[in-house]
Amino acid sequence: MAYVCEIGTGQRAYLDNQGKQTIVTTASSSLGQQQQSSQSFLTGSWTASPESFRNASGAIVKITTSQGQYFIQIQGNSMGMMAESPSLQGAQQIQLQQVDYIPTSLMSPMEPMKPMEPMKPMEPMKPMKMGDMEMSLNPMQMRMGNMELRMDKAVSGTHRFCSQCGTEVSPSDRFCSACGHRLQ
């Protein structure tokens, strides 16, 4: 049998005992937004209905089993098993409702996804043509009308190019012979 309780404004906790596992699912919703978090704890089979309390730091769920009592702290969408029994003095008991089932969207834990297959290598890029423009990658070259740009030669330190128009210039040039741009 599963249980549900309101632990805060718009936040509910669903509790279920499946075998030796206690499954706690928190779900919160506000206008246009929903969040949920689920975690399972090894507690053993329940021997009594769970109890729920609200204190200053969140909610505490008390689970009673033949192995003893367990306390689960819920703060927002995070939860964890408490190492020691908390003081419940001043805590407000939260009423739990028994439900026949937990909605399918809140079932947990989810089955793990199968690993994705590696992507197949991409085919080499074919030359592109558009009107009188042609571009290819190996070697990198581009032609448009009577202009051509090639990048198949290794550029050594002796080659310089105009930063304005890309024309090759010699190291002694102070101005580009093609566009007149002042060289550094």
Side-chain angles (χ1 to χ4, degrees):
M1 198 52 72
Y3 294 85
V4 63
C5 66
E6 281 290 327
I7 58 174
T9 309
Q11 188 176 27
R12 289 181 162 196
Y14 294 86
L15 311 169
D16 197 7
N17 187 221
Q18 295 179 4
K20 296 182 181 209
Q21 299 286 323
T22 294
I23 299 171
V24 180
T25 302
T26 60
S28 59
S29 61
S30 59
L31 193 59
Q33 189 177 36
Q34 292 183 347
Q35 290 182 344
Q36 86 177 41
S37 177
S38 189
Q39 196 163 338
S40 125
F41 301 94
L42 184 61
T43 59
S45 298
W46 298 348
T47 56
S49 297
E51 296 177 68
S52 182
F53 303 89
R54 185 178 298 120
N55 63 10
S57 59
I60 296 173
V61 177
K62 177 180 170 185
I63 305 294
T64 305
T65 69
S66 58
Q67 286 86 10
Q69 291 182 336
Y70 296 91
F71 294 89
I72 299 168
Q73 173 100 35
I74 303 172
Q75 292 176 312
N77 276 342
S78 62
M79 59 195 88
M81 187 85 74
M82 299 178 79
E84 346 180 304
S85 299
S87 169
L88 296 174
Q89 188 174 359
Q92 173 190 4
Q93 187 158 11
I94 304 170
Q95 184 156 354
L96 289 167
Q97 286 184 309
Q98 203 169 21
V99 291
D100 293 330
Y101 68 96
I102 294 178
T104 309
S105 63
L106 298 174
M107 294 297 273
S108 72
M110 290 178 51
E111 288 188 32
M113 289 178 53
K114 294 179 186 175
M116 292 178 63
E117 290 184 33
M119 289 180 64
K120 295 180 176 121
M122 290 177 56
E123 288 183 34
M125 192 169 152
K126 296 179 176 130
M128 296 187 305
K129 291 184 178 185
M130 189 167 70
D132 66 346
M133 186 173 95
E134 182 180 331
M135 190 168 120
S136 63
L137 287 179
N138 203 1
M140 177 73 170
Q141 62 185 21
M142 184 171 158
R143 281 190 219 114
M144 189 162 68
N146 62 354
M147 294 187 295
E148 182 176 342
L149 173 67
R150 295 181 61 97
M151 298 234 173
D152 58 345
K153 298 177 191 169
V155 177
S156 68
T158 59
H159 292 280
R160 283 184 47 195
F161 299 90
C162 173
S163 61
Q164 188 71 28
C165 69
T167 301
E168 188 171 357
V169 294
S170 66
S172 62
D173 289 342
R174 295 182 70 196
F175 295 93
C176 175
S177 61
C179 70
H181 180 70
R182 182 184 173 118
L183 303 170
Q184 305 289 344

